[in-house]
Amino acid sequence: MSLGCHQTFQFPTKGKSGFLSWNPLKSSRLKGNKIGGVNFGKFESSRRRKDISTRSKSMLGVDSVVEIEGKEGVNTGSKYDAIVIGSGIGGLVAATQLAVKGAKVLVLEKYVIPGGSSGYYQRDGYTFDVGSSVMFGFSDKGNLNLITQALAAVGREMEVIPDPTTVHFHLPNNLSVQVHKEYSEFINELTSKFPHEKEGILKFYGECWKIFNSLNSLQLKSLEEPIYLFGQFFQKPLECLTLAYYLPQNAGDIARKYIKDPNLLSFIDAECFIVSTVNALRTPMINAGMVLCDRHFGGINYPVGGVGGIATSLAEGLIDQGSEILYKANVTNIILDQGKAVGVKLSDGREFFARTIISNATRWDTFGKLLKGESLPKEEENFQKVYVKAPSFLSIHMGVKANVLPPDTDCHHFVLEDEWTRLEEPYGSIFLSIPTVLDSSLAPKGSHILHIFTTSPLEDWKGLSPKDYEAKKELIAEEIIGRLEKKLFPGLKSSIVFKEVGTPKTHRRYLARDMGTYGPMPRQIPKGLLGMPFNTTGISGLYCVGDSCFPGQGVIAVAFSGVMCAHRVAADIGLEKKSPILDAALLRLLGWLRTLA
Ligand SMILES: NC(=O)c1ccc[n+]([C@@H]2O[C@H](COP(=O)([O-])OP(=O)(O)OC[C@H]3O[C@@H](n4cnc5c(N)ncnc54)[C@H](O)[C@@H]3O)[C@@H](O)[C@H]2O)c1
Ligand SMILES: CC(C)=CCC/C(C)=C/C=C/C(C)=C/C=C/C(C)=C/C=C/C=C(C)/C=C/C=C(C)/C=C/C=C(\C)CCC=C(C)C
């Protein structure tokens, strides 16, 4: 796979057989369980898979089909009930949830494997996670374990390794805080650093628990579907009112009600920054409540074999349901007919049609690139007024000699050494994950993986000659590694046995995200989550899913957006209950609420 002189960061490698050499099945199991009255056991699905795959392949007659399999859909007009553009976790969850409801779905993915920023790649015996290795929503309890539930819906489960510490913070003034899985241990640790703020700490995190417990008590479906929404209000009025109360609020304001110490407030900024790329004053309280408690409730669990196994398992599960996924399928246009989205066109000229189109590309890509020549719908104008693209990032994937890590090193670290003001600056904060602390099978014996990343704008990498680009990558990587050597691991530089650096250009190219963006971030102080659009769009038949939809960035967040999207689409194509009159009223109300943000 040649990437041209601007990229050294290559995604999955091929094994001797010519197939992708990583076998996620070593960590993903097919469950022969009953879901929705249908048995999704192995025999049934593989039999169905066999006869369909031949038919679909000859129908398309193309070599670039990596997997394309299907069955007759429930639709009458188009061959598909839904086309999903992109196979990030958001797209895959929407696709699989629709498929288990009985829809026939086609997922079109530009790259050669599923997962997007939750994908993987392999080099020299290492399996690297492309993006974050911190998995929320992957436990075996509650209603918020959306990753576990998404896999189970298509008869899959993955073996996971619980992480005893979500993250180890290394902050200015030598403040070191380990976020233990046990809530009481975390609170003891934090209050030992800020004894004068014990009450404030308990009150702030206590409010987070109020939100988490309310969320965890609901059955999560589309907030744009009135029969479900009003039903939840009826069944759980207190919980729904609690969530409605917090919906327009931000974590920083609530923290300031109880906490005065500026260092502790900065710590809460760092807590929020790692999940929203902005400080607490700009982080929606609902999102803060979700992540600051899930890590203690269900805990952070790492999938054996790497994060890439989640997407691979979902894609396999989708096929088992008789739906299809096509790789190397770069969608360049969404086709409209009398203002309704009816199909897509690929860069190689092929066209596919469906009753609905779901875009897992960012809203900037969807409306800026895929809908050519259309004026921006009012809703999208509002979105772009409230949200901007967060910067991209620089990632360093390294293999190091195992003995450079002290015993009991934690898996995830966040480093900001000297000045709190550098938190949100490019290259200011460093994220570090060492997934081999939990799963040693990801690296050759005697070595560890270090995945280091830091925010970096695409502008920094524009207009450079190939030589200068390479030199800049080396220089910045050297500086970041030097900081980690000084702060955490003496001797780090000399222990490196493998190193690959990805820049915002790499992320733009491989994740197909405009400017390589990390996701949306509020332009100014937002009204919590109020301004974040859900899944319907101003174009009939077109839906969005992923991190530029409610509730925003994060694998668990996009999984929720996938669940919501599938429910709304299923109602619109007749697979779930729907009330056109209530729909129109709710969608108008939600549209109006967003204008208040
Ligand atoms: N380092 C990190 O931790 C990191 C980096 C970026 C994003 N993220 C997180 O990952 C999640 C994003 O998930 P997501 O589901 O929104 O999307 P995603 O960006 O992970 O996946 C989108 C997928 O759509 C494909 N795609 C885009 N445009 C396409 C086109 N025109 N034709 C065909 N395929 C196309 C891409 O190749 C990609 O596979 C969020 O949680 C985000 O915050 C994490
Ligand atoms: C409709 C209306 C108007 C109203 C009504 C009321 C109600 C009922 C409401 C409801 C609501 C809801 C349901 C909501 C929900 C929400 C959710 C689920 C959310 C979620 C979220 C999540 C998130 C945000 C997540 C995130 C995460 C992330 C981003 C992560 C990341 C990570 C990383 C980056 C890593 C780090 C690393 C180191 C440190 C190394």
Side-chain angles (χ1 to χ4, degrees), residues 84-93 107-119 129-135 274-275 277 326 328-333 345-346 359-362 365-366 369-370 392-393 395 431 451 453 507-513 516-520 545-549 552-559 561:
V84 180
I85 306 168
S87 67
I89 297 295
L92 283 173
V93 171
V107 177
L108 297 170
E109 169 54 53
K110 186 176 173 183
Y111 191 47
V112 296
I113 55 158
S117 30
S118 305
D129 295 333
V130 165
S132 162
S133 303
V134 179
M135 289 296 116
I274 63 173
V275 293
T277 58
L326 187 57
K328 297 196 219 163
N330 178 19
V331 175
T332 49
N333 290 52
K345 184 170 183 179
L346 306 193
S359 176
N360 188 204
T362 71
D365 291 281
T366 304
K369 294 180 187 155
L370 302 182
S392 187
F393 46 96
S395 341
F431 297 80
H451 177 194
F453 52 105
H507 296 285
R508 180 177 61 180
R509 177 170 180 173
Y510 284 98
L511 303 178
R513 299 171 70 93
T517 179
Y518 203 87
V545 71
D547 61 14
S548 44
C549 299
Q553 295 177 28
V555 177
I556 166 96
V558 298
S561 108

Side-chain angles (χ1 to χ4, degrees), residues 33-171:
N33 55 339
K34 265 194 149 207
I35 301 146
V38 181
N39 190 318
F40 299 130
K42 189 162 193 160
F43 176 70
E44 222 262 331
S45 24
S46 58
R47 194 182 46 180
R48 190 167 54 190
R49 203 162 26 172
K50 224 174 177 178
D51 52 66
I52 295 157
S53 117
T54 333
R55 188 149 41 100
S56 305
K57 278 186 182 166
S58 62
M59 216 153 47
L60 283 161
V62 284
D63 292 339
S64 60
V65 175
V66 175
E67 292 275 13
I68 173 142
E69 300 163 1
K71 60 168 181 170
E72 289 311 310
V74 293
N75 55 320
T76 47
S78 317
K79 183 173 179 316
Y80 302 102
D81 294 302
I83 285 175
V84 180
I85 306 168
S87 67
I89 297 295
L92 283 173
V93 171
T96 46
Q97 294 282 308
L98 270 169
V100 294
K101 289 177 204 288
K104 179 159 163 105
V105 186
L106 170 65
V107 177
L108 297 170
E109 169 54 53
K110 186 176 173 183
Y111 191 47
V112 296
I113 55 158
S117 30
S118 305
Y120 71 95
Y121 78 100
Q122 293 186 311
R123 291 286 179 277
D124 296 359
Y126 296 91
T127 300
F128 294 110
D129 295 333
V130 165
S132 162
S133 303
V134 179
M135 289 296 116
F136 294 87
F138 209 1
S139 74
D140 57 1
K141 58 180 184 175
N143 281 344
L144 288 167
N145 54 353
L146 296 176
I147 311 281
T148 314
Q149 288 180 40
L151 289 165
V154 288
R156 290 294 194 286
E157 70 182 350
M158 290 185 74
E159 203 182 317
V160 295
I161 305 165
D163 192 345
T165 315
T166 305
V167 52
H168 189 160
F169 285 99
H170 310 269
L171 297 168

